[in-house]
Amino acid sequence: MIDLLTNEKIPEENLLDNVLSVVAAKDSIEFSRRAGGAFYAFSRDAIVLARFSALWSLAVQHWAPGLSFDMGKGSGKTMLEAFDTARRNMQSSSSHPRAFLPLGSPITLRTPRTGMAATKNHSHEGAIDSATVRKRIFSDLSTAGFIDRFSPPGINWRDWPTSFEPNEPDLQNSQRDSKPFNQIFPFVGENRSVAMIHADGNGMGQILRQLKGLVESTPDRFQELYKDFSNAVECSTIQAAQEAVKIALIPYRKPGEPLAARPILLGGDDVIVIVRSDLALHYIQAFASAFERESATRLRALNCDLPPKLTIGFGVVYLLANQPFSLAVQVAEKLMGHAKNDAKKIVPNGQIPPSTVMFHRVTGTLSCDVLEPIRRSDHTTLELTMGTYVLSTEFTSPLPKLGDLFALQALLQHPAMAHGPIRQLLNLLESSPTQARQSWARWRFLMKEKPSEILNKFDEIMKQLLPQYNSQKALPYAPLEAQSPHHRTPLGDVLTLRAVNNLLPENISEEARV
């Protein structure tokens, strides 16, 4: 619904073009950006612009009731000057919220769930408000134009699931036609875990500041540069989303089943998608690789002083399909923010950080406090995970690489590996550090009776993940940097990947798999 506010690819269906037609402003208003419900509009005719903005404000409230939005207007001798003024005015307008339409009087019937004025009486739920009515109109995937952004050639809305409940009747299908097709999310066996993925581009603020610097020296290029950069970002994201589907979803799709994912949002460089848990990290690897490659090509075509490519940060939350997705989105966003901040710390100012990911598995009540350390003693913090992982194998940094974690997962799946003591070790760290040390020592003693290359390979991979790792220490913990009080281990992450049946990439070598 938000996408169709501004999506210029379908002029007759998006709200912006319809408003421009009504006020006869198509030829007198120019745009340097129009995507994801946001736009920068410029005109030399103040009266036309005022008429357009007044109708736009009213139209949005009817198109998407209950949606908060901000507007700002400004003028100047150049587009850049007018843009800066309008942006400042928009930021100040956010403190003056609009009333949601339609307004309710003292005798208006209210919707019990939201408290908004009721506009329709539903046969099963009773009174519902206009926002709920509009959202339900767009809940049918056949009307969701944005779903095409995730869909490579040969894939359409029918290939995506609509329900996570296996016994829920497919009313949309039965009402649309008599041709049966399966739209139930394709879980594997009894495992009903999924991954909520939230992705966002790195360094966009920095790049926009660079663009502003370029425009200040060449004001006549404002519209061209901003529009071309906005298109480059969005096209790179769309291409990455489609590439990820081709690599990480289609090959693992069984005949008669939909794809094992449900797109939620794609606007600019912002992406939210639900993917089956075993495919999630495979999906983000394919996404990040395609995003970096495609953005490099498109930024090069802009022919201006910008970074060689764009990178992206991911937050991934593993949860059961019956847990609240709305809260999972908040947790994923928080993890993504940590991943992006950690990446920013390891590069010099002015450089674009690498693509990174931070993931978390919900084992109890879903909460935003997912990054708390498990124990503090003698000013030392022990954490069950490594935190942020770098996706690129070419980037050298103090942060661990996701590929090394996959290698450790592959090694620990070897039949000669004893899995029980490792799981017991992590449980004992919370209750009895002394017993945890004994458990770790016992595990290493048992492993020495196995072929020597297995334990040696384990220590080698641990050293790649944690350069400060020492196999002779009482516990498999080490800081990411020398003298740091924060001690980490990748073993908690491996157990998470095992619990969600994480798909190992094909490029994990036989040596790593032993």
Side-chain angles (χ1 to χ4, degrees):
M1 181 161 50
I2 293 175
D3 186 56
L4 288 177
L5 286 172
T6 55
N7 187 354
E8 62 182 332
K9 294 188 172 106
I10 316 172
E12 65 276 7
E13 292 186 11
N14 75 78
L15 185 66
L16 183 55
D17 280 319
N18 278 278
V19 171
L20 289 171
S21 296
V22 170
V23 297
K26 279 194 172 183
D27 297 329
S28 54
I29 294 181
E30 300 176 299
F31 296 89
S32 63
R33 180 195 178 192
R34 46 177 297 173
F39 60 80
Y40 307 149
F42 297 87
S43 178
R44 297 182 182 277
D45 191 330
I47 295 177
V48 169
L49 202 60
R51 195 164 66 234
F52 162 75
S53 64
L55 181 57
W56 175 257
S57 179
L58 179 64
V60 171
Q61 294 178 78
H62 282 278
W63 175 263
L67 177 69
S68 298
F69 65 97
D70 296 319
M71 293 176 61
K73 288 185 283 186
S75 59
K77 295 180 180 179
T78 65
M79 281 188 168
L80 178 59
E81 187 179 329
F83 172 74
D84 286 339
T85 306
R87 184 171 55 180
R88 286 194 297 269
N89 290 338
M90 185 189 72
Q91 291 169 348
S92 63
S93 73
S94 62
S95 59
H96 303 285
R98 296 176 177 81
F100 292 150
L101 297 180
L103 299 175
S105 68
I107 60 171
T108 299
L109 179 64
R110 303 281 177 168
T111 303
R113 187 174 63 84
T114 65
M116 304 294 293
T119 58
K120 186 176 181 180
N121 189 43
H122 192 272
S123 57
H124 297 297
E125 300 181 30
I128 57 176
D129 56 57
S130 57
T132 303
V133 172
R134 286 294 286 169
K135 288 175 184 176
R136 289 188 173 180
I137 291 174
F138 283 88
S139 66
D140 185 347
L141 284 187
S142 66
T143 66
F146 90 97
I147 206 88
D148 294 336
R149 298 183 175 191
F150 286 86
S151 305
I155 300 295
N156 59 40
W157 64 269
R158 290 175 178 268
D159 295 291
W160 300 96
T162 58
S163 173
F164 292 89
E165 298 299 328
N167 299 321
E168 185 175 318
D170 188 357
L171 298 178
Q172 294 186 55
N173 177 51
S174 62
Q175 293 172 4
R176 186 177 293 110
D177 54 43
S178 58
K179 217 174 196 181
F181 63 96
N182 189 0
Q183 285 186 296
I184 306 301
F185 196 94
F187 293 104
V188 178
E190 298 299 318
N191 189 335
R192 293 178 51 77
S193 62
V194 295
M196 176 69 72
I197 300 173
H198 194 169
D200 191 48
N202 287 319
M204 291 300 170
Q206 171 191 326
I207 295 177
L208 290 175
R209 286 191 292 273
Q210 287 181 255
L211 278 177
K212 184 177 179 181
L214 293 171
V215 170
E216 286 174 344
S217 58
T218 54
D220 56 327
R221 296 192 67 192
F222 180 95
Q223 183 184 8
E224 170 201 344
L225 286 177
Y226 274 79
K227 186 174 183 178
D228 288 349
F229 177 71
S230 178
N231 289 339
V233 172
E234 185 160 25
C235 290
S236 298
T237 310
I238 292 172
Q239 184 64 34
Q242 295 183 3
E243 190 75 14
V245 171
K246 288 192 288 186
I247 293 174
L249 297 182
I250 292 178
Y252 307 98
R253 179 187 188 184
K254 294 180 180 179
E257 287 186 344
L259 297 167
R262 173 62 188 260
I264 304 296
L265 177 146
L266 193 159
D269 61 327
D270 197 11
V271 176
I272 301 177
V273 59
I274 300 171
V275 178
R276 199 172 66 203
S277 60
D278 59 320
L279 303 174
L281 295 185
H282 191 31
Y283 179 92
I284 68 168
Q285 277 194 308
F287 192 109
S289 177
F291 183 75
E292 293 182 15
R293 184 177 63 253
E294 187 69 17
S295 64
T297 301
R298 293 184 178 275
L299 290 182
R300 194 161 50 244
L302 296 184
N303 195 27
C304 56
D305 186 19
L306 290 176
K309 66 179 180 181
L310 300 177
T311 60
I312 196 163
F314 295 89
V316 180
V317 178
Y318 294 105
L319 71 162
L320 296 178
N322 61 351
Q323 290 182 294
F325 288 158
S326 56
L327 186 54
V329 170
Q330 298 177 37
V331 178
E333 183 177 13
K334 184 173 181 179
L335 293 171
M336 177 194 69
H338 279 276
K340 293 176 63 173
N341 288 335
D342 288 344
K344 194 184 302 182
K345 294 175 185 176
I346 63 174
V347 295
N349 288 334
Q351 289 190 15
I352 297 296
S355 294
T356 52
V357 61
M358 181 179 283
F359 58 86
H360 171 73
R361 177 173 172 248
V362 178
T363 56
T365 303
L366 189 56
S367 169
C368 288
D369 297 326
V370 298
L371 303 177
E372 288 297 312
I374 63 165
R375 182 173 294 278
R376 291 184 176 90
S377 60
D378 300 328
H379 308 289
T380 297
T381 302
L382 302 181
E383 300 188 23
L384 293 176
T385 77
M386 295 293 289
T388 298
Y389 285 89
V390 173
L391 296 177
S392 173
T393 57
E394 302 170 358
F395 193 88
T396 303
S397 80
L399 292 176
K401 290 183 172 63
L402 189 62
D404 291 332
L405 179 66
F406 289 155
L408 184 61
Q409 179 194 356
L411 179 65
L412 290 177
Q413 289 180 185
H414 189 274
M417 277 290 186
H419 306 132
I422 291 181
R423 186 178 295 105
Q424 183 186 35
L425 168 71
L426 297 180
N427 293 332
L428 288 174
L429 283 170
E430 297 185 83
S431 58
S432 175
T434 301
Q435 291 185 37
R437 295 186 186 95
Q438 294 172 351
S439 175
W440 176 244
R442 175 66 176 167
W443 181 82
R444 290 196 65 87
F445 176 78
L446 292 174
M447 290 306 301
K448 288 178 180 178
E449 299 178 356
K450 309 287 184 180
S452 60
E453 68 270 13
I454 296 180
L455 187 57
N456 291 340
K457 189 63 182 179
F458 174 85
D459 289 335
E460 179 186 330
I461 298 174
M462 288 288 289
K463 191 75 174 176
Q464 290 172 344
L465 288 163
L466 274 170
Q468 309 298 323
Y469 169 77
N470 185 343
S471 61
Q472 303 306 312
K473 286 190 175 180
L475 287 173
Y477 272 87
L480 286 175
E481 298 176 348
Q483 309 305 320
S484 172
H486 298 283
H487 288 227
R488 300 175 179 273
T489 181
L491 296 182
D493 293 325
V494 171
L495 291 182
T496 291
L497 299 189
R498 285 176 57 82
V500 300
N501 298 323
N502 178 65
L503 176 75
L504 281 168
E506 294 179 0
N507 60 1
I508 291 291
S509 67
E510 287 302 318
E511 181 187 4
R513 296 177 188 270
V514 190

